Amino acid sequence: MVILTWQQLKKTDLPFFEELISSSAKWRKKELKDLSLEDYIGQYDDLSGEWRVWEEKESPVAVSYHLESAPSNQKPWLGTILVKAEERRRGVASAIMDQLSDEFMDIGQKALFAAVPIEEYEWSNFLTDCGFEQFKTEENKGETYLIMVRPFE
């Protein structure tokens, strides 16, 4: 069982975040695009989300971003999760999802949502491995997204 702690992402954590991005070429191309990391993070400043650095035994293993209440449906959404390359397939992401789910259940929510570009099968498979189910598809800015949901009950 993976036991994680977390802290809010700070400017001093950006080199770790950069390390995660360097081993996630597809994420870099799809999400970061031509932005600097600080500009990418800044895109989310107007939302009430939270960037976290997740640690195992005081060593950083992942970064995530989530919203407690997304503008689209006022429900919790996972925006980003990147796990250190050598820590993948060990249950780190599932532990993060479990912890977020527990936090949201404690405030009366019933599910956590996420969206992935429809052509990114690896991303949807990853979320399925973390307890998400396919929900529907949506168009946004000319791209089709698979909306996924992780029910808490």
Side-chain angles (χ1 to χ4, degrees):
M1 179 177 178
V2 177
I3 298 173
L4 301 174
T5 57
W6 64 270
Q7 62 177 336
Q8 287 190 344
L9 180 76
K10 303 179 301 289
K11 198 172 193 88
T12 55
D13 297 313
L14 293 183
F16 172 67
F17 200 167
E18 292 278 6
E19 175 188 334
L20 296 179
I21 293 167
S22 71
S23 64
S24 305
K26 196 176 280 192
W27 185 91
R28 182 176 55 246
K29 182 180 176 188
K30 278 279 188 192
E31 297 294 322
L32 193 61
K33 299 177 182 154
D34 294 326
L35 295 173
S36 70
L37 182 54
E38 288 175 341
D39 287 343
Y40 175 79
I41 292 169
Q43 296 179 117
Y44 297 92
D45 286 349
D46 292 340
L47 300 173
S48 59
E50 182 174 58
W51 287 98
R52 292 183 179 181
V53 174
W54 297 85
E55 298 178 340
E56 183 177 30
K57 298 176 185 160
E58 299 183 22
S59 179
V61 293
V63 168
S64 70
Y65 177 79
H66 67 274
L67 292 164
E68 186 176 308
S69 178
S72 59
N73 66 353
Q74 290 68 56
K75 304 285 184 206
W77 278 77
L78 176 70
T80 295
I81 183 167
L82 288 173
V83 177
K84 198 172 182 178
E86 56 270 23
E87 299 296 330
R88 294 176 186 161
R89 308 298 311 165
R90 286 192 44 250
V92 170
S94 290
I96 291 169
M97 300 303 173
D98 290 345
Q99 195 161 330
L100 289 174
S101 296
D102 288 346
E103 290 176 29
F104 292 132
M105 275 193 296
D106 287 348
I107 59 170
Q109 295 291 344
K110 299 194 180 326
L112 175 63
F113 290 83
V116 296
I118 194 84
E119 71 277 2
E120 296 300 340
Y121 297 107
E122 291 173 343
W123 295 4
S124 59
N125 289 341
F126 163 75
L127 290 174
T128 298
D129 289 347
C130 293
F132 282 79
E133 303 167 1
Q134 295 182 10
F135 182 60
K136 65 178 181 174
T137 59
E138 272 186 12
E139 296 287 326
N140 187 14
K141 298 179 183 172
E143 188 157 6
T144 303
Y145 289 88
L146 176 62
I147 309 301
M148 300 188 72
V149 62
R150 186 182 204 246
F152 300 152
E153 299 170 357

